[in-house]
Amino acid sequence: MRNIVFSLLLVFIASCSAANEKTTGSVRIVRDTFGMPHIYADDIYGLYFGYGYSIAQDRLFQMEMARRSTQGTVAAVLGPSYVDYDKSTRTLFDPASIRKQIKSLAAKDLDVFEGYAAGINAWLEKIKESPDELMPKQFGDHDFAPATWDEYDVAMIFIGTMNNRYGDFNTEIDNAKILSALQQQHGAVKGSLLFDALNPRFTDNAPTTIPSEDWSESAYDSLALNSGGSSNSIAIATTSLSPKSAVTTGMSNCYILGKSKVSGANSILVNGPQFGWFNPSYVYSVGMHGAGIDVVGNTPFGYPMIMFGHNANISWGSTWGASDIVDIYAEKVNPDDRSTYWHNNKLLKFESRVELIEIKGATDLQFEVRRSIHGPIIHADEAAKVAFAKKRAWDGGELDSLLAWLSATWAGDFDEWKSYAEKSAINVNMYFADVDGNIGYFHGGKFPQRAAGHDNRLPISGAGDMEWLGRMPIETANPHVLNPSSGYLANWNNKPGQGVMNPDFFFYSWSAADRVDFLHAELTSKKKFTADEAWAVIESSSFADVYAPYFLEFLELATQDTEDAGLREANNILQAWDGRSTDSDTDGFYDGAATAIFRTFIGELIHRTLADDLGDAYTYFSATGYPTHDKPTGAGTNIPPAVKLIVEALNGRVEYDIFNGEPASTIIASALKASLMELATEKGQEVASLRLPVASRPFSMVNFLGIPQGGNDETLIASIEQNRGTENNMIVMKPGAIVAYEVAPPGQSGFVSSSGQRDPHYSDQFDLYQSFGKKRIWFYAADVADNAASEDVVTYSH
């Protein structure tokens, strides 16, 4: 018996030793002439070790500040002015939940996060050997040092940007304030009519990504939509109405051409994600080769998965989907004990945790983060004893979307790719093209089945009577298609398919006026497109005025009988306009008078039609959406809700009379005349000589969350704003001969040495971007070798 026990003990000790024994390996990192690294390794851990090592070389300060931005630890290194930011950020996620998800990962998936973090840490060790040469200057400027990374940090880069940002949009509290203000001004009925016109729940005339003949499912919650006018939404007082002018900007475009629409290929995918413009670049380019994986492309903030790219068989892209996956629940707080609230006639205790915020140069701060059964508490009305909780379809499964997208990049065909796309919980459009010419689309997200009477635009009762009834079926709630009848797919954040309910955002809606119409017009203008012609659509759309097509006919009608020579001349200029706002002579002013006249006219038209009707809420909707010489857009030009409402009204599709009983032509003529007077006062010129100064495009040294990611002297200025992707990529597909391109400005590297020396690839794509150029993305091993500029071998243990 004793021998048996001793033998078992030896086996146990041996197994423990084997489990703890580290394996060693090596990673080969080959960089091309633009500094893009290609990682070669035999296992997944090694691949991601090489990825982390490379991005730390290129973007260490950017990644450090992205980590702090997403976890709410900015004040610890930048001081008290970032305390409110850190508090807001920490409210949006539960660290314990994220760590639990990481702990439950399969070994293969965990290798991704652990290998990535280990690679960054390996470069940190390199810096210690030569800090004067390798430590980025920005750390010295801000007087702090980079910290080591772990798998949680890697995961939070994705969660804090993609989930807690793009998958978290919600304006229901603002919507309720706007509705209340309009009802106070106009009465309940008229106020509601105007609110519905500005922020419609459903529209059936908006252009869709999937042709109507290919998708006719009813994806909205019919019980909620057709509730007989009853609603359990919560009214909010307007005392805290925030005066702001929200502008719908950017958010991305993508178009895919199938076999019947291309020449010299089987399919072409062109993507332009509009995240904004930053230095260092928002995206990072990388190739991953080994362990059964062969993938190249680029991705935001160095996500573990490549968001825009291809493998040997398929290519993929994405745009923001906009659909509504987030609701606000109003919890009735117990007045005798604010730590409890009512739900299903029972008192429940808020989940609570205390967060400590470290503050550089000041005393650390503690604050409470609360959570109800519905989600994190984001706002509290102490007087009304109401706490507002944000319920998100992906809450508790933040890593699901990341892992789904990661696996999708390893797929070999549409069915496999779609099986992973279906697991994505956040509202992102996903695009597919393969080497055989198949093209496809999937509108991602877990969409809730809402209860009857739930107006998704407004906060709802948290008492238990308005709970979600489950997830809507994928086959009806998530529009998708393989090989559409049109032969192509195009999206510019427009409606995915017929039957889809509108987003709840007050700054965004789907209607007949949509900038995607420009892409549709371009892509139907030719029977077939070469790769160069497909790329040229980027330039066409970058300078196109996407509002103009909806107004030119009405301008003609409004001025055709006028005796005002100035109005006639202005209309003639607009009717002859090619719709482009360019500066071909680089004199700092837009070519021709049309841009000046039309952009000023839009501002006057918004003011004359809506300022009186909207009252205090007007500041939410007054912006034209155009950039100006001193104020660029956040991420590009989109048609704002005020303009969409005016287009609907001009076409007789709005119940509320925004023209106050006057003919629309009279309002248009008066707006045009006022714009000419305004321009004449400013410019002192004849109509035909009017010019607007060009809006330039800063590439900001703060990231898209407003946190510094570079030095104060690192903002770069492009001469003219282009309404296009933060990066642009094109993937030309046919078997064994995939040719891919991208331009990802300013450059691959954001490294600046302690002496101020910038990496050679710091801005070597900046001019290329401004001139609509592109560079190759090498994929095949022989091509990578032929275009190699450097090679490094790094060892690791695991």
Side-chain angles (χ1 to χ4, degrees):
M1 181 67 178
R2 187 175 298 173
N3 289 335
I4 293 175
V5 172
F6 183 71
S7 298
L8 289 174
L9 181 60
L10 289 176
V11 170
F12 175 74
I13 293 172
S15 64
C16 288
S17 298
N20 293 323
E21 184 179 338
K22 289 181 178 289
T23 60
T24 60
S26 63
V27 179
R28 189 164 60 96
I29 303 172
V30 181
R31 290 183 180 268
D32 69 15
T33 53
F34 278 92
M36 176 179 171
H38 287 265
I39 317 299
Y40 292 87
D42 294 331
D43 57 41
I44 289 178
Y45 184 95
L47 277 179
Y48 282 88
F49 180 95
Y51 188 175
Y53 190 88
S54 297
I55 200 168
Q57 285 180 300
D58 294 333
R59 306 281 187 88
L60 185 59
F61 188 74
Q62 179 189 36
M63 293 295 287
E64 176 69 26
M65 297 315 297
R67 171 170 63 172
R68 293 184 175 279
S69 299
T70 54
Q71 296 182 39
T73 60
V74 179
V77 295
L78 297 188
S81 59
Y82 292 93
V83 169
D84 287 343
Y85 173 87
D86 284 348
K87 290 173 68 174
S88 176
T89 298
R90 295 198 200 185
T91 300
L92 296 177
F93 70 97
D94 179 0
S97 174
I98 306 302
R99 293 188 185 279
K100 183 178 178 180
Q101 293 173 52
I102 293 172
K103 190 174 181 179
S104 65
L105 289 174
K108 177 182 176 182
D109 294 330
L110 188 57
D111 277 350
V112 169
F113 298 95
E114 289 185 340
Y116 195 120
I120 295 178
N121 294 336
W123 182 252
L124 293 180
E125 290 300 314
K126 275 286 202 181
I127 290 176
K128 291 178 182 178
E129 297 173 8
S130 305
D132 292 341
E133 179 184 351
L134 300 179
M135 180 67 79
K137 178 178 182 292
Q138 300 92 341
F139 286 103
D141 292 343
H142 293 287
D143 191 27
F144 76 97
T148 58
W149 285 58
D150 64 16
E151 59 273 16
Y152 175 80
D153 297 317
V154 176
M156 280 303 300
I157 297 294
F158 176 89
I159 293 168
T161 55
M162 192 55 66
N163 288 79
N164 293 342
R165 170 70 171 181
Y166 296 110
D168 204 35
F169 278 120
N170 182 282
T171 65
E172 291 175 26
I173 293 176
D174 278 312
N175 294 348
K177 294 175 184 177
I178 292 167
L179 174 59
S180 179
L182 295 177
Q183 289 179 331
Q184 287 181 31
Q185 181 178 350
H186 300 289
V189 175
K190 286 187 67 178
S192 295
L193 278 177
L194 182 52
F195 178 75
D196 289 341
L198 283 164
N199 190 356
R201 291 199 68 201
F202 183 80
T203 49
D204 59 7
N205 62 345
T208 57
T209 295
I210 302 179
S212 57
E213 56 267 31
D214 297 329
W215 182 268
S216 59
E217 298 288 347
S218 180
Y220 60 86
D221 181 343
S222 59
L223 288 176
L225 190 63
N226 302 313
S227 55
S230 64
S231 175
N232 291 303
S233 58
I234 304 298
I236 298 179
T238 61
T239 53
S240 57
L241 191 69
S242 304
K244 57 185 175 183
S245 186
V247 182
T248 309
T249 66
M251 298 303 184
S252 315
N253 60 47
C254 185
Y255 49 96
I256 324 171
L257 305 172
K259 186 176 288 189
S260 65
K261 289 287 294 181
V262 298
S263 175
N266 286 345
S267 63
I268 298 175
L269 184 150
V270 183
N271 209 166
Q274 289 178 269
F275 298 111
W277 292 269
F278 308 96
N279 184 29
S281 173
Y282 191 97
V283 297
Y284 187 77
S285 303
V286 66
M288 310 282 282
H289 312 278
I293 296 167
D294 209 7
V295 176
V296 296
N298 67 62
T299 194
F301 280 133
Y303 291 164
M305 83 293 175
I306 292 175
M307 201 165 178
F308 314 103
H310 72 89
N311 61 29
N313 296 299
I314 72 169
S315 60
W316 55 86
S318 62
T319 62
W320 182 52
S323 295
D324 190 6
I325 57 174
V326 178
D327 285 329
I328 303 297
Y329 280 81
E331 315 292 12
K332 185 178 179 182
V333 180
N334 179 7
D336 299 322
D337 181 3
R338 69 178 293 273
S339 70
T340 61
Y341 63 101
W342 293 98
H343 185 264
N344 285 335
N345 297 316
K346 296 180 181 178
L347 277 175
L348 300 182
K349 197 170 186 66
F350 286 109
E351 294 179 29
S352 176
R353 72 178 192 270
V354 175
E355 290 281 333
L356 177 69
I357 295 182
E358 297 180 24
I359 308 170
K360 183 177 183 179
T363 303
D364 294 348
L365 172 73
Q366 288 186 339
F367 80 103
E368 181 188 26
V369 175
R370 292 190 299 162
R371 183 183 179 93
S372 76
I373 196 172
H374 298 109
I377 303 302
I378 61 165
H379 178 70
D381 186 334
E382 298 294 344
K385 296 295 187 285
V386 174
F388 294 93
K390 180 178 282 191
K391 185 174 178 63
R392 303 170 290 188
W394 45 262
D395 199 0
E398 284 86 347
L399 287 181
D400 291 349
S401 297
L402 192 162
L403 294 174
W405 293 0
L406 178 64
S407 298
T409 67
W410 302 339
D413 58 30
F414 180 78
D415 289 340
E416 185 182 4
W417 175 87
K418 179 174 173 288
S419 72
Y420 293 119
E422 290 176 355
K423 297 177 182 179
S424 175
I426 58 178
N427 51 349
V428 171
N429 297 309
M430 302 175 73
Y431 306 91
F432 170 96
D434 70 17
V435 294
D436 296 319
N438 298 300
I439 63 173
Y441 165 80
F442 186 86
H443 181 62
K446 292 182 177 179
F447 296 101
Q449 177 78 29
R450 296 177 170 92
H454 185 164
D455 186 334
N456 69 302
R457 300 170 298 177
L458 302 168
I460 203 70
S461 166
D465 54 332
M466 299 301 295
E467 301 305 294
W468 287 353
L469 306 177
R471 179 181 179 178
M472 294 179 68
I474 291 173
E475 288 306 307
T476 57
N478 297 84
H480 53 272
V481 69
L482 176 65
N483 296 327
S485 57
S486 57
Y488 75 92
L489 291 163
N491 179 279
W492 210 342
N493 311 117
N494 54 285
K495 191 171 183 174
Q498 292 297 330
V500 177
M501 191 166 62
N502 276 14
D504 65 76
F505 323 122
F506 74 83
F507 58 81
Y508 195 85
S509 62
W510 291 322
S511 73
D514 197 295
R515 59 184 176 172
V516 76
D517 282 339
F518 181 87
L519 293 181
H520 284 304
E522 289 286 290
L523 297 176
T524 56
S525 66
K526 299 176 183 291
K527 186 176 181 179
K528 290 179 180 287
F529 285 76
T530 64
D532 286 345
E533 289 169 336
W535 184 261
V537 174
I538 297 172
E539 182 173 0
S540 299
S541 59
S542 294
F543 294 127
D545 190 300
V546 292
Y547 308 8
Y550 307 104
F551 289 96
L552 293 178
E553 179 182 351
F554 292 103
L555 282 160
E556 177 76 10
L557 291 172
T559 58
Q560 62 183 0
D561 296 324
T562 184
E563 295 181 359
D564 188 317
L567 290 185
R568 290 198 306 272
E569 183 180 10
N571 177 62
N572 290 338
I573 289 170
L574 292 175
Q575 299 301 327
W577 184 29
D578 64 1
R580 290 166 56 88
S581 295
T582 56
D583 179 20
S584 57
D585 57 5
T586 65
D587 67 347
F589 292 85
Y590 288 109
D591 300 329
T595 296
I597 295 169
F598 189 77
R599 291 187 178 184
T600 310
F601 161 74
I602 288 295
E604 286 289 343
L605 187 60
I606 292 173
H607 182 76
R608 288 168 181 268
T609 54
L610 296 178
D612 58 335
D613 294 306
L614 298 185
D616 291 342
Y618 177 64
T619 54
Y620 282 87
F621 300 97
S622 60
T624 66
Y626 288 117
T628 63
H629 70 284
D630 57 353
K631 187 176 181 180
T633 64
T637 302
N638 197 354
I639 305 175
V643 175
K644 291 185 176 184
L645 170 57
I646 293 170
V647 172
E648 292 292 298
L650 288 173
N651 287 279
R653 295 190 291 261
V654 177
E655 291 186 57
Y656 184 97
D657 181 16
I658 64 173
F659 300 127
N660 299 324
E662 292 192 65
S665 58
T666 300
I667 303 296
I668 289 174
S670 66
L672 182 59
K673 187 173 184 65
S675 66
L676 295 178
M677 292 176 64
E678 178 183 336
L679 287 167
T681 300
E682 291 181 7
K683 310 296 181 185
Q685 298 172 337
E686 297 297 325
V687 173
S689 300
L690 295 171
R691 301 286 187 275
L692 277 187
V694 163
S696 58
R697 164 47 59 199
F699 284 66
S700 176
M701 46 69 65
V702 301
N703 66 27
F704 82 115
L705 296 168
I707 306 302
Q709 62 166 12
N712 292 331
D713 61 345
E714 291 189 68
T715 294
L716 302 176
I717 306 293
S719 59
I720 186 170
E721 178 168 320
Q722 301 167 357
N723 190 16
R724 61 183 292 197
T726 299
E727 64 89 15
N728 282 105
N729 63 84
M730 178 172 68
I731 306 168
V732 184
M733 304 287 288
K734 55 184 178 181
I738 301 171
V739 180
Y741 306 88
E742 70 173 6
V743 58
Q748 179 72 18
S749 178
F751 178 73
V752 181
S753 72
S754 58
S755 65
Q757 184 69 33
R758 296 179 176 183
D759 187 273
H761 303 298
Y762 178 89
S763 59
D764 56 349
Q765 297 181 57
F766 190 62
D767 292 339
L768 194 67
Y769 181 84
Q770 294 184 76
S771 63
F772 296 95
K774 56 188 184 295
K775 71 177 183 67
R776 282 288 299 272
I777 304 176
W778 306 110
F779 174 67
Y780 301 106
D783 290 332
V784 172
D786 288 344
N787 293 277
S790 69
E791 182 172 329
D792 193 10
V793 176
V794 185
T795 59
Y796 65 90
S797 61
H798 172 41

